[in-house]
Amino acid sequence: ITAIPAYDFNTEKNVVIATKNGMIKRSKLKEFKLQRYSKATSCMNLKDDDKVITAFVEEDKYVFLTTDSGRNTNSGSKSRWC
């Protein structure tokens, strides 16, 4: 479980979420601001055998992720599998 404290949602920072099966989602922090606190919310749909392994606020515009099997992806202006 990852908790990311956010005091100002009016920022250009992104939240990056990665799953066990390799799905990666980058969303603006302002998209996580709730309008109604009484309803559950979700930011991505997962398959039954998948789970979120990390979530973090992107500090730079360049992100490099790698797996234990050697697959990796990097993103800056473009995202691609190597």
Side-chain angles (χ1 to χ4, degrees):
I1 296 175
T2 301
I4 300 171
Y7 302 103
D8 181 17
F9 287 93
N10 295 323
T11 180
E12 291 302 312
K13 290 189 176 185
N14 294 315
V15 175
V16 178
I17 302 167
T19 71
K20 178 184 79 167
N21 290 345
M23 186 172 15
I24 300 167
K25 182 175 182 178
R26 178 189 286 154
S27 302
K28 296 281 185 196
L29 181 61
K30 59 182 141 189
E31 293 178 18
F32 289 91
K33 185 174 182 179
L34 298 177
Q35 300 300 320
R36 297 178 66 186
Y37 296 100
S38 60
K39 287 193 167 192
T41 186
S42 175
C43 66
M44 63 193 307
N45 296 321
L46 300 176
K47 294 183 179 178
D48 291 336
D49 64 334
D50 206 1
K51 64 181 179 178
V52 173
I53 57 171
T54 190
F56 57 91
V57 175
E58 186 178 56
E59 296 296 326
D60 296 315
K61 291 295 179 187
Y62 185 80
V63 176
F64 181 82
L65 298 170
T66 187
T67 67
D68 58 353
S69 63
R71 291 192 67 176
N72 60 68
T73 184
N74 58 39
S75 65
S77 58
K78 296 181 181 176
S79 180
R80 62 185 181 273
W81 281 99
C82 298

